[in-house]
Amino acid sequence: MGRVNYGKFLNGERKGLLGEVLIDGKKQINWEMYPMEFKQPFIQAASASSKWQDYASDVKRPALYKATIDITENPPKDTFIDMKQWEKGVIFINGFNLGRYWKKGPQVTYYLPGPLLKTGKNEIIIFELHQSSSEIVFSDKHNLGPVQHVTDDDE
């Protein structure tokens, strides 16, 4: 998600496909890549799709997850989404891109402003790259992770 942009590691960090693509140990040839642009039309189409399936805990690949939460407060209050049980991905609330998360942190909770929510049903779509959790946890407290001090970029 991020890249080192300082110090001696600046030119050594590479991302993307850096070698052969293997599936079950077999080299893949003549394959195509399709971008997943998480723009409003894509999220709306995904939300409206009739192909959603019930949650399966054994999924260990990129997947979209959809849930709803019913809010009775009027107006809804600010909250935080705790993603410590998830691995790496993107959170959408009622079609709004709340942001990216990554278990490596340091951030654990993600601020969800009350005005993004509505009284009644609210939709949550999560794109998880690796391993999902069976629950989405909300909290009234933030957790930005431990404080990390950087003293020397040459270490």
Side-chain angles (χ1 to χ4, degrees), residues 39-55:
K39 295 180 179 175
Q40 201 68 24
F42 176 83
I43 294 301
Q44 289 171 344
S47 174
S49 174
S50 61
K51 297 182 180 182
W52 288 100
Q53 300 174 10
D54 289 338
Y55 173 78

Side-chain angles (χ1 to χ4, degrees), residues 95-146:
F96 179 84
N97 184 340
L98 189 65
R100 300 182 294 180
Y101 63 91
W102 194 1
K103 191 172 200 150
K104 287 188 176 184
Q107 189 172 345
V108 176
T109 58
Y110 297 81
Y111 176 61
L112 175 52
L116 289 180
L117 300 168
K118 57 189 176 191
T119 301
K121 296 223 179 290
N122 290 265
E123 181 180 78
I124 304 164
I125 293 181
I126 297 175
F127 174 62
E128 169 59 49
L129 285 163
H130 302 288
Q131 175 67 48
S132 67
S133 173
S134 62
E135 62 185 1
I136 301 168
V137 177
F138 291 87
S139 174
D140 61 350
K141 294 182 176 41
H142 66 81
N143 180 352
L144 301 179

Side-chain angles (χ1 to χ4, degrees), residues 48-80:
S49 174
S50 61
K51 297 182 180 182
W52 288 100
Q53 300 174 10
D54 289 338
Y55 173 78
S57 63
D58 60 343
V59 176
K60 294 183 180 174
R61 64 179 181 275
L64 285 166
Y65 297 89
K66 179 178 169 181
T68 57
I69 181 170
D70 195 20
I71 297 182
T72 57
E73 287 184 329
N74 190 11
K77 300 206 176 9
D78 296 353
T79 188
F80 296 90

